[in-house]
Amino acid sequence: MKIILNKINYLFIIFLILLFFTKILVAFNYFNNEEFNCASLPPALWCSNDKIQEKCQTKQKCLKYKNSVKNKPVHITLLFESLCPDCQNFISKKLLDFWLTYKDFARIEFVPFGNAKILKNGTIKCQHGPEECRINKYESCAIHYMHEPLPFIHCLETKIADGFKLEKASKQCYAKLHSLPHIYDQITHCFNGVKGDKLQKLAAEQTFNIWPDKHEFVPWILINNASLSSQQFFMRQLPTLICQAYVGDGHIKQCEAFGSVNNNKLIEENNEDGSEMDIFD
């Protein structure tokens, strides 16, 4: 009986030892990503790490993306309308400071149309009335003729939000920004002629044709020409957007405050055959 008990104890000890090493092996496999499921990884992270790219077979797609945007500013398109309080607040209180800090890494495009509609007779009806249509048209002309319209649009929207009429606000902004006389003449001629109407129709077409999501409110942003409802929170976090989306040789010092961002480290190899690869195993 004693011999049997000793054998049982011996076998039990062996069982515990085997169980211990089994757990170690499972843990080892886990931490070596044997249990990692690529299908559970959010798409935004597919290009975040060389090991992830290799395991999930996204390396070539990530390379294609990074090479297509390398050293190009992040393109932010702003859909807005001139008398919308939220648009005025966004432009006057947030956009200028952001642009002054990140203008080497971001390009901002203005589309002044917003929630306006084109009636059957071809005229435009604006959400905040005829005066908004006038200002939208004026801003379309300014955007067309100014090399960098952001400071002027910022100035104009700020003054209009403070109660200034278009004519007085525009004159003060020209003076403040030391605009050249011929720019004023071009914008005035555009505003008073058919050119301004054509530019507003183009703004309408651009607004109506955004893809894949239609705008639900204004202001509304597109990121590299993509309209996504899920990305509108970036209007409150534009610096974070630049730190995540910009890929290039330039170092963005301000991004250090947002933690480790590795978008500036590009993969050097090229996908010679340009073949498509499956994202998941």
Side-chain angles (χ1 to χ4, degrees):
M1 184 69 178
K2 187 175 181 180
I3 295 175
I4 294 174
L5 290 175
N6 287 336
K7 287 184 177 180
I8 292 174
N9 289 335
Y10 177 74
L11 292 173
F12 182 69
I13 291 172
I14 293 176
F15 171 76
L16 291 178
I17 292 173
L18 290 174
L19 181 63
F20 174 74
F21 280 105
T22 300
K23 288 185 176 181
I24 291 178
L25 182 61
V26 170
F28 178 80
N29 288 336
Y30 176 81
F31 286 111
N32 279 277
N33 292 323
E34 293 297 330
E35 301 297 325
F36 181 79
N37 183 5
C38 290
S40 67
L41 187 70
L45 301 179
W46 287 350
C47 301
S48 62
N49 181 279
D50 290 344
K51 292 181 180 179
I52 288 176
Q53 292 176 33
E54 183 176 352
K55 181 169 182 61
C56 299
Q57 299 184 10
T58 61
K59 187 173 183 178
Q60 298 300 332
K61 289 183 179 293
C62 292
L63 173 66
K64 186 176 180 180
Y65 160 71
K66 290 180 178 180
N67 283 342
S68 70
V69 300
K70 181 180 179 182
N71 291 325
K72 295 179 181 178
V74 179
H75 186 175
I76 301 172
T77 304
L78 176 64
L79 308 184
F80 75 105
E81 53 195 21
S82 57
L83 293 183
C84 158
D86 288 337
C87 299
Q88 291 174 339
N89 183 68
F90 178 69
I91 293 172
S92 64
K93 296 182 179 179
K94 297 181 180 180
L95 206 54
L96 181 63
D97 288 342
F98 163 76
W99 178 75
L100 290 173
T101 303
Y102 295 93
K103 61 183 178 180
D104 291 336
F105 309 102
R107 176 194 167 204
I108 299 177
E109 177 187 9
F110 291 95
V111 183
F113 189 81
N115 294 324
K117 301 181 184 300
I118 297 181
L119 303 180
K120 291 182 179 180
N121 62 6
T123 60
I124 296 175
K125 181 179 180 180
C126 294
Q127 183 173 2
H128 298 93
E131 182 63 16
E132 181 171 72
C133 285
R134 291 183 70 244
I135 302 172
N136 286 351
K137 180 180 177 181
Y138 194 90
E139 290 179 334
S140 282
C141 293
I143 292 164
H144 181 74
Y145 285 105
M146 289 184 166
H147 175 68
E148 180 47 75
L150 191 149
F152 183 81
I153 298 297
H154 169 268
C155 178
L156 194 64
E157 286 293 329
T158 300
K159 290 190 175 297
I160 289 173
D162 289 339
F164 287 81
K165 295 297 183 182
L166 172 62
E167 287 72 19
K168 185 176 181 179
S170 60
K171 287 181 180 179
Q172 290 189 5
C173 290
Y174 285 125
K176 178 181 179 180
L177 299 172
H178 306 289
S179 300
L180 297 175
H182 77 277
I183 296 294
Y184 170 80
D185 293 339
Q186 287 176 324
I187 294 173
T188 301
H189 181 73
C190 171
F191 175 65
N192 292 326
V194 296
K195 180 71 172 179
D197 295 326
K198 291 181 179 179
L199 291 175
Q200 270 292 279
K201 295 293 177 63
L202 289 175
E205 183 178 345
Q206 187 173 355
T207 301
F208 296 152
N209 291 330
I210 60 174
W211 182 89
D213 296 336
K214 300 301 181 183
H215 82 280
E216 302 166 16
F217 47 80
V218 286
W220 184 273
I221 61 171
L222 283 69
I223 303 171
N224 286 344
N225 297 317
S227 173
L228 298 168
S229 300
S230 61
Q231 303 301 300
Q232 296 309 305
F233 73 92
F234 273 124
M235 277 191 285
R236 299 189 298 272
Q237 303 174 19
L238 287 175
T240 305
L241 167 62
I242 298 304
C243 293
Q244 289 185 3
Y246 178 76
V247 177
D249 298 324
H251 175 67
I252 307 178
K253 184 177 180 180
Q254 293 81 0
C255 291
E256 295 173 0
F258 297 96
S260 177
V261 178
N262 199 36
N263 282 346
N264 294 341
K265 182 181 179 182
L266 293 175
I267 304 171
E268 298 296 334
E269 301 86 10
N270 289 311
N271 181 15
E272 295 180 357
D273 60 5
S275 59
E276 294 293 326
M277 298 185 67
D278 291 333
I279 292 177
F280 301 123
D281 291 336

